[in-house]
Amino acid sequence: ELTSSCLLKVVHRFPRTLGAMTDALSFAPPRPEAAPPDGLEPIPPLDILGLLRALWFGKWLVLLVTAISITAAGYYAFSMAAPRYTATATLKVDVQPLALHDVGDRWPDPGTDAASLNTEVAILTSADILGRVVGELNLLQDPEFNRYLAPQSPYSVRSLRTRLRHFLSGTVEQAPDDLAIIDKTIQNLRGAVTATRPRDTYIFQISATSRDAEMAAMIANTAARVYVASQVAAKDEAARIAIGWLSTRVEELQVQLESQETAVTNLIA
């Protein structure tokens, strides 16, 4: 009986203890949110409806600004901006090795790695190549590239920038000499000519842009022709040097052969 009464007491106490724990867990106060660091404020959520209401209330202003922008862009595109034409000339690099091994050891074959090909691309737009293009096409007399020939408004951006630069530096603008005009013309031409190489190819593409379609084609073709002529001249010079080296080598071998024949004759005698 004593044991049974003790078990009854434990059983009666356990439901009350379990219910107290459940009530404590159910009605526990929420944890306070962590306060933001000093000097920082929480970011409020984006109010989409408020943004739409603001746009709706300012719809006339948005439409007015859009109409003005479209009108200005159309006027510039069809009235002020001059059309530009682009022509492209394509070259293929000859990577065949030399047949003479001794000469090939002294003058290696043209490089076919990426660095060598990229070097040739840079040569296509070098001052030497473009200077020859300027001379052949007489671009010093073309106002598109020799801008000293074009009349310049005193209120243009270029004039204002030039006057401001001289004012800040305390200098006086002087008339450019012939060398400065040539350098500036080559610089302007370089801005209109680009040379690229498609990936994993031995092809060079020379593109020229001009206000005249015929001039763009002439510049691209002339640049390609001048580059090929320079490469031919370089190979001719290398061939001339190779011929000289071969002649010297033949003379050396002839002297060596004569000395060996003399040594054999003396040995036999």
Side-chain angles (χ1 to χ4, degrees), residues 215-230:
M215 177 58 70
M218 291 174 61
I219 291 174
N221 293 331
T222 303
R225 186 174 65 254
V226 168
Y227 171 77
V228 171
S230 66

Side-chain angles (χ1 to χ4, degrees), residues 84-248:
R84 309 287 292 181
Y85 302 93
T86 301
T88 302
T90 303
L91 295 175
K92 179 181 178 297
V93 181
D94 185 10
V95 294
Q96 294 181 357
L98 294 175
L100 298 178
H101 297 287
D102 292 340
V103 178
D105 294 338
R106 191 171 181 85
W107 288 275
D109 301 330
T112 58
D113 57 302
S116 300
L117 295 175
N118 292 335
T119 301
E120 296 300 320
V121 171
I123 292 175
L124 282 168
T125 56
S126 63
D128 180 52
I129 299 296
L130 297 183
R132 298 182 189 181
V133 175
V134 169
E136 288 195 15
L137 298 180
N138 197 21
L139 296 182
L140 290 175
Q141 305 301 323
D142 190 342
E144 182 179 359
F145 300 99
N146 184 6
R147 297 173 185 171
Y148 292 107
L149 300 177
Q152 188 174 354
S153 173
Y155 301 103
S156 63
V157 177
R158 180 182 175 187
S159 298
L160 294 176
R161 183 180 58 190
T162 302
R163 288 202 298 268
L164 180 60
R165 183 174 66 249
H166 288 293
F167 175 77
L168 294 177
S169 60
T171 58
V172 179
E173 184 177 2
Q174 299 179 354
D177 55 6
D178 294 340
L179 183 58
I181 293 176
I182 294 175
D183 291 340
K184 189 63 177 179
T185 303
I186 293 175
Q187 181 180 351
N188 295 334
L189 179 60
R190 182 178 289 113
V193 176
T194 57
T196 57
R197 179 181 67 88
R199 187 175 181 180
D200 299 332
T201 65
Y202 298 122
I203 293 176
F204 297 153
Q205 293 179 340
I206 308 171
S207 299
T209 303
S210 174
R211 292 194 293 262
D212 185 9
E214 185 178 356
M215 177 58 70
M218 291 174 61
I219 291 174
N221 293 331
T222 303
R225 186 174 65 254
V226 168
Y227 171 77
V228 171
S230 66
Q231 293 296 308
V232 171
K235 289 186 177 181
D236 289 343
E237 180 65 17
R240 186 185 64 80
I241 296 174
I243 291 173
W245 177 78
L246 288 174
S247 300
T248 304

